[in-house]
Amino acid sequence: KAGVTQTPRYLIKTRGQQVTLSCSPISGHRSVSWYQQTPGQGLQFLFEYFSETQRNKGNFPGRFSGRQFSNSRSEMNVSTLELGDSALYLCASSLEPSGRTIYFGEGSWLTVV
Amino acid sequence: GIQVEQSPPDLILQEGANSTLRCNFSDSVNNLQWFHQNPWGQLINLFYIPSGTKQNGRLSATTVATERYSLLYISSSQTTDSGVYFCAVGPPIKEETSGSRLTFGEGTQLTVNP
């Protein structure tokens, strides 16, 4: 059974650009959540989607947005990139929103220069 | 928001040694999980343990929910156990929210030397 797949794995962007990251959950999982990991702030919750609806959102500016499609795949977008957005972005999927057991992907490493 | 504190922040062991990692949390929760982050960045789920004790091979975990702490035990450590161990908790029970929103501790960096 395939795990959580994130693309791209590595990318470099310039300040002011925007980026879209993709996440395909484990087959049958309908809940997808996103986290940002930086050396300074650690792992922080971005947002969670279930059945194409955003259920929770973390304390991030509006430049960070996401969506979920009918096949449960999810994308997150960061507009007007800042240097501080350089981070590992992790996607996780779970069978249902309780998050009893969640499975993480390998992440997308974003560098903003 | 809920606070999660892990100790120690760093731990260096010789192969074969045992260790105990601690996680304190500031509010009552019904979701607590332990993860291991490998050198490539992936978080691997070790235990879902909001209360009680579980064991999986050389690893075991205990959560005392009434005292708001959890312990992760690693016995007979191996070099492949190296990495960062995270404790993560769900929203406080009193918030009456569901969802997989997790608050992570800062982690324990474990190094196991041969």
Side-chain angles (χ1 to χ4, degrees):
Chain A
K1 182 170 174 179
V4 179
T5 304
Q6 292 188 242
T7 57
R9 291 293 320 282
Y10 305 92
L11 65 166
I12 300 174
K13 290 286 188 178
T14 304
R15 271 184 304 175
Q17 289 186 314
Q18 72 166 9
V19 66
T20 298
L21 308 177
S22 178
C23 172
S24 293
I26 292 172
S27 178
H29 285 195
R30 296 191 296 159
S31 178
V32 173
S33 50
W34 290 88
Y35 291 81
Q36 180 198 63
Q37 186 175 23
T38 60
Q41 299 297 318
L43 275 153
Q44 295 186 88
F45 172 80
L46 277 160
F47 19 65
E48 177 200 0
Y49 290 88
F50 178 74
S51 293
E52 302 178 67
T53 300
Q54 187 180 88
R55 290 175 51 89
N56 285 297
K57 189 176 194 302
N59 188 25
F60 279 82
R63 301 185 295 108
F64 291 79
S65 62
R67 57 178 175 169
Q68 186 180 33
F69 302 95
S70 59
N71 62 358
S72 295
R73 189 177 70 85
S74 177
E75 289 181 347
M76 67 163 283
N77 183 277
V78 187
S79 62
T80 319
L81 284 166
E82 301 177 358
L83 296 179
D85 297 332
S86 296
L88 174 63
Y89 290 89
L90 290 161
C91 169
S93 78
S94 61
L95 198 56
E96 71 326 296
S98 74
R100 177 170 176 148
T101 304
I102 68 174
Y103 299 88
F104 281 84
E106 292 182 311
S108 293
W109 292 88
L110 170 66
T111 300
V112 182
V113 297
Chain B
I2 194 166
Q3 305 298 314
V4 181
E5 296 181 353
Q6 291 186 243
S7 59
D10 297 278
L11 188 56
I12 301 175
L13 302 173
Q14 287 299 121
E15 205 166 25
N18 303 328
S19 61
T20 301
L21 282 57
R22 186 177 178 105
C23 170
N24 294 330
F25 45 99
S26 62
D27 214 328
S28 298
V29 297
N30 54 19
N31 185 346
L32 185 147
Q33 304 189 40
W34 284 95
F35 295 90
H36 175 221
Q37 189 167 37
N38 64 27
W40 300 272
Q42 187 172 16
L43 283 166
I44 308 298
N45 192 303
L46 299 175
F47 294 104
Y48 167 79
I49 187 163
S51 64
T53 297
K54 289 186 178 179
Q55 180 158 7
N56 184 2
R58 295 181 297 103
L59 272 59
S60 64
T62 295
T63 297
V64 183
T66 53
E67 298 187 24
R68 299 179 188 169
Y69 73 89
S70 183
L71 302 173
L72 177 68
Y73 305 97
I74 305 174
S75 64
S76 304
S77 58
Q78 301 175 358
T79 55
T80 52
D81 294 331
S82 296
V84 184
Y85 289 81
F86 288 100
C87 169
V89 302
I93 293 173
K94 65 187 179 188
E95 288 187 4
E96 298 182 343
T97 59
S98 62
S100 57
R101 175 183 188 142
L102 295 176
T103 299
F104 283 78
E106 295 191 349
T108 292
Q109 173 76 58
L110 175 64
T111 303
V112 181
N113 294 321

